[in-house]
Amino acid sequence: MGKEGKYGAFFLALALFLPFLALETDRRMTVALPVDGPAEVEQEQETKFIALTFDDGPRRSTTGPLLDGLAQRGVPATFFLIGEQVPGNEDIVRRMEAEGHQIGIHTYDHKCLTALNAADFSAQVDRSRQLLGEILGRENFLLRPPYGMVDAGVERRAGSAIILWSIDPEDWDDKNAERITRHIVSRAKDGDIILLHDIYSTSVEAALAVVDALHEEGFLFVTVEELAAQHHVELCEGQIYRSFYP
Ligand code: NI
């Protein structure tokens, strides 16, 4: 086919196709019109999933109000607990489990896990697992290493998936609830894992403000395990996960 023949065929195809294109645009416009008002339009938004995670608790004075706020909103979160803060707070741990939150471990006394020998690692991780196991009757808890520090030894001995994060507002820094909220809401995407600490009242305040703001944007809060399942990721022992983007 010559050059002219090619163009001829192209324009013929275009001429034949244009009416359908117009029809298709027309049809879409009709469908996009809100039939039953704004609620109908919102349903067309695809649900985005996101996980709130809290480290360094439990602390009764701050974790308690956080659990109240999450319960009011019907929102589950994931808590990475410090082993030595569990004795005396067993009721809080049971409440977390009963209210649909996920529980993980964050070492026994917030030690950096890299470069530890097997015994020292076990004293941090296995000891915390056993402590929670005595309360909850199982030991399959995810691990979040303090400071997000991981090396080959941590990966080998983790005994569960290693969960890091994709949004970190550094809530321990200025303890400014408004700034923390803005930091998270402006970055939130489907599949993100948010890092906060439930030992500061400002972080609790920010977390609940984030929930309210992201609910408005069509986000659904889930636990880390549910977030992985939503996006068809199987959690593997010793593997590091920072997010579960679709
Ligand atoms: Ni920590």
Side-chain angles (χ1 to χ4, degrees), residues 168-226:
D168 176 11
E170 301 191 341
D171 60 336
W172 40 264
D173 186 10
D174 58 358
K175 303 190 187 67
N176 178 329
E178 222 173 281
R179 183 200 61 79
I180 297 164
T181 305
R182 249 196 333 269
H183 179 109
I184 297 169
V185 172
S186 65
R187 286 164 175 80
K189 298 179 298 298
D190 191 7
D192 269 319
I193 298 176
I194 302 165
L195 168 64
L196 285 167
H197 299 82
D198 55 320
I199 53 170
Y200 309 117
S201 58
T202 41
S203 298
V204 172
E205 195 186 318
L208 299 177
V210 164
V211 168
D212 293 340
L214 293 185
H215 272 166
E216 293 273 319
E217 293 183 20
F219 279 90
L220 196 68
F221 287 85
V222 291
T223 64
V224 165
E225 220 161 49
E226 288 163 350

Side-chain angles (χ1 to χ4, degrees), residues 54-57 80 82 106-107 110-111 144-148 165 172 195-197 199:
F54 296 93
D55 289 7
D56 296 4
F80 293 98
I82 296 288
H106 194 50
T107 74
H110 212 271
K111 279 265 157 42
R144 172 168 283 162
Y147 318 105
W165 55 83
W172 40 264
L195 168 64
L196 285 167
H197 299 82
I199 53 170

Side-chain angles (χ1 to χ4, degrees), residues 57-74:
R59 173 175 287 172
R60 188 169 296 275
S61 61
T62 44
T63 308
L66 173 61
L67 289 174
D68 292 342
L70 293 175
Q72 280 165 8
R73 291 161 176 80

